[in-house]
Amino acid sequence: MGKLSTHVLDTAHGRPGAGVKLALYAVQGDERSLLKTAHTNADGRCDAPLLEGDALQPGQYELVFFAGDYFAGMGVALPSPRFLDRIVIAFGIADATQNYHVPLVMTPWSYSTYRGS
């Protein structure tokens, strides 16, 4: 069975994004259902997969990272409103037997992601 995981890297400070709040939603049409909230550990990862086994189903999902709160907590001077406050990554899972790793590389001004394993 597959699993869904994430990892946050703070490239503005050159370290893992520790303590970043995130929320995982299942998306069906215009409806979003909250599946889980979590915080990243000292390595920028969650302590357990976000979804695994029977909980991982094919479909559309969103990961929401509370990047603005993280950078404000780090003492970064941010404008109001923040340029990047919540980073939303919308993605699909086609095959629930595979591993889906959705990393976030972020600064207060930019971000990127990719499909990892």
Side-chain angles (χ1 to χ4, degrees):
M1 293 301 254
K3 66 182 178 183
L4 171 64
S5 58
T6 191
H7 185 197
V8 179
L9 297 170
D10 171 356
T11 55
H13 295 99
R15 60 181 169 211
V20 177
K21 180 182 176 182
L22 59 100
L24 173 66
Y25 294 88
V27 179
Q28 293 184 347
D30 293 334
E31 300 292 320
R32 290 175 30 171
S33 301
L34 179 65
L35 299 178
K36 184 177 229 177
T37 59
H39 286 83
T40 57
N41 62 21
D43 193 37
R45 301 175 186 274
C46 294
D47 290 329
L50 297 171
L51 296 174
E52 64 183 329
D54 292 338
L56 183 66
Q57 295 292 316
Q60 296 295 120
Y61 295 87
E62 286 182 1
L63 267 171
V64 180
F65 297 88
F66 292 74
D69 292 345
Y70 166 80
F71 284 113
M74 296 287 295
V76 175
L78 300 171
S80 182
R82 297 167 179 166
F83 180 68
L84 291 177
D85 190 28
R86 292 185 181 140
I87 297 172
V88 178
I89 301 174
F91 62 97
I93 291 179
D95 182 352
T97 65
Q98 295 185 14
N99 292 336
Y100 287 78
H101 184 67
V102 183
L104 174 65
V105 179
M106 66 178 190
T107 77
W109 312 106
S110 64
Y111 68 92
S112 65
T113 190
Y114 56 92
R115 180 184 170 191
S117 59

